[in-house]
Amino acid sequence: MIEYLKDEAIPASQRLVFAPYMAHFVFSFMDINRFVLRDLKADDNEYQHLVNIHTDEDAHHWPWYLNDLQKLHLDKTGRFTESLRFIWSDHGIQSRMLTYDMVGLVKNASPIGKVILVEVIEKTGNVFLAQTAEVSRELGDNGDYLYYGKHHLDCETGHHMGTDQIESVLASIVLSDDEFNEGIAIIDEAYSLYGRFLTEMLAYAQAHHHEDMAVSATYPGAISQHLSHATDGSAVTGSDA
């Protein structure tokens, strides 16, 4: 997906045609920050406190996303039922599973495990947004692309937000053997989830043309009647499960 975003032979608007596909991800991560990562009852734990501060900063990016859908001419006025069918369509299985499985990771993580997971999320987002900001620049971004443009990238450091000298704070953490092993497991699983998410995002971008999407009154979507989720993250039909 990163190579697709870098490919200047593809029109810039086409390289961001996946924006509607990210709807479930954007709004689910708002809730993950507000209700899953955040734990105010455990705020006296130094690591959970770092996470809580971060979630205050990171839970309010969804208005930027809505702004960019409009800027990209990808906002629609179709029926609510059509929007539901699009968001839960087969083309977004890995997007949805990313957030569902991420909830499971958080629920099973220690406070230091959450810190590690947030670092993975922020580093991945920083790499992705660096590329979308460049594409937005090609579209003439003067600060009006809030989610995919320079505005969002400038708010991201690739680390926890809201804590002064966060790199020094993180560098001072000494992990026990158990915490180290927990961290490695979280990192491996999170990057696996992101890998499937970005692969699916690329498939969506390659299957949809911005010119068609911009003039369509609705979002395309279809939900299979017999589909389940394999342990490797792939979708399989009920007869194959």
Side-chain angles (χ1 to χ4, degrees), residues 13-145:
S13 58
Q14 174 62 34
R15 278 179 275 159
L16 294 181
V17 75
F18 60 84
Y21 160 86
M22 288 187 64
H24 189 278
F25 170 84
V26 172
F27 281 87
S28 293
F29 259 81
M30 173 189 70
D31 280 350
I32 286 176
N33 276 295
R34 294 169 67 201
F35 307 122
V36 185
L37 278 167
R38 186 180 301 167
D39 185 357
L40 298 180
K41 293 180 180 179
D43 197 59
D44 56 343
N45 180 285
E46 61 177 319
Y47 300 133
Q48 184 62 55
H49 182 65
L50 286 177
V51 174
N52 289 343
I53 293 173
H54 172 81
T55 63
D56 283 336
E57 300 284 337
D58 206 35
H60 307 291
H61 295 175
W62 60 268
W64 305 347
Y65 171 73
L66 297 182
N67 172 86
D68 286 10
L69 282 177
Q70 294 176 323
K71 290 290 297 181
L72 291 164
H73 305 290
L74 295 174
D75 194 14
K76 304 298 173 188
T77 58
R79 293 191 299 270
F80 183 55
T81 52
E82 294 170 337
S83 296
L84 290 173
R85 185 176 290 109
F86 173 81
I87 293 172
W88 276 272
S89 180
D90 291 352
H91 63 232
I93 291 171
Q94 301 307 326
S95 172
R96 301 193 299 276
M97 293 309 302
L98 168 63
T99 53
Y100 302 153
D101 288 342
M102 197 72 77
V103 168
L105 279 179
V106 177
K107 289 296 188 181
N108 290 312
S110 67
I112 189 61
K114 292 182 185 179
V115 169
I116 293 168
L117 179 58
V118 168
E119 284 297 295
V120 173
I121 293 169
E122 290 304 301
K123 181 58 67 176
T124 304
N126 188 259
V127 171
F128 179 75
L129 291 170
Q131 298 306 317
T132 63
E134 181 60 27
V135 179
S136 298
R137 184 192 63 78
E138 294 177 38
L139 289 170
D141 180 26
N142 290 311
D144 42 358
Y145 284 89

